[in-house]
Amino acid sequence: MIQRPISLYAICGSQRQASTSRRLLKALQLAAPHDISITISDLIGDLPIFNPDNEGEKTPPVVEKFAAEIGSADGLIVSCPEYAHGIPGGFKNALDWLVSRDEIPFKPLMFAHASHRGDLALALLTDVLQTMSLRIVDEAFLRLPIAGKPDEAQASILTQAREDGVLRAALGRFADAIRETA
Ligand SMILES: Cc1cc2nc3c(=O)[nH]c(=O)nc-3n(C[C@H](O)[C@H](O)[C@H](O)COP(=O)(O)O)c2cc1C
């Protein structure tokens, strides 16, 4: 059966050059089947600090671009570390720009978590994202603990997960949940 293609927009909560969160997103991108495309956002670091005075007609072009990319995606993948028991400021700032907009409500979202830690951030993110009316697809939750490991160990874990079909399976569950409600 031919399935409707799914386009996903992946957002990384870390700006670090060697981010393990982004590495996990890249692994998902490589492992995605032909009918699932993943674009990894590179806009979060360019967003100005949120100010409600600059919404509506005054919305900065980069925010409009970010929101449009989210709006045109079938679902979001979020990979975000924990900083000081919280959500990294840059990532929360990006979410704040989206709170009052139309692109976000009911948008399906899956977490791809790259650490064995960070459960507080996951819980906080869940609360924030649900408050913003995103639909978190729990059955697609993916955790691959590569954070804090040497580069080669990270590569080995990601290769194994790819070969075992773990990455593809999580994406498949997410795509199924999106298609079921489309
Ligand atoms: C400033 C800072 C604060 C952190 N605070 C926490 C924390 O409170 N809890 C935790 O589990 N990890 C914490 N970490 C560890 C990061 O969550 C971890 O290094 C994560 O893998 C970084 O993601 P990245 O590789 O995508 O940059 C912190 C890291 C930094 C740089």
Side-chain angles (χ1 to χ4, degrees), residues 12 14 16 18-25 79-83 112-119 122 142-158:
C12 179
S14 171
R16 219 159 57 84
S19 164
T20 52
S21 308
R22 186 174 291 101
R23 191 165 187 179
L24 177 54
L25 291 176
S79 189
C80 186
E82 177 172 310
Y83 285 172
H113 198 63
S115 175
H116 62 291
R117 298 167 58 196
D119 291 280
L122 281 171
L142 174 70
R143 175 174 236 152
L144 271 192
I146 57 172
K149 294 195 160 55
D151 185 67
E152 279 178 20
Q154 291 181 24
S156 160
I157 292 169
L158 290 172

Side-chain angles (χ1 to χ4, degrees), residues 2 6 28 32 41 61 63 70 80 101 104-105 130-131 137 147 149 158 160 174-175 179:
I2 296 172
I6 296 284
L28 281 166
S41 178
V63 175
I70 287 175
C80 186
R101 300 184 58 106
I104 281 292
Q130 285 176 342
T131 300
V137 177
K149 294 195 160 55
L158 290 172
Q160 192 67 50
F174 190 37
R179 289 190 180 105

Side-chain angles (χ1 to χ4, degrees), residues 6 8 35 39 42 44 48 54 59 81 86 90 92 95 97-98 116 126 145 156 161 164 172:
I6 296 284
L8 303 177
D35 57 354
T39 301
D42 56 2
I44 284 197
N54 293 335
T59 303
K92 182 63 166 66
L95 294 179
W97 276 112
L98 301 167
H116 62 291
T126 299
S156 160
D164 291 348

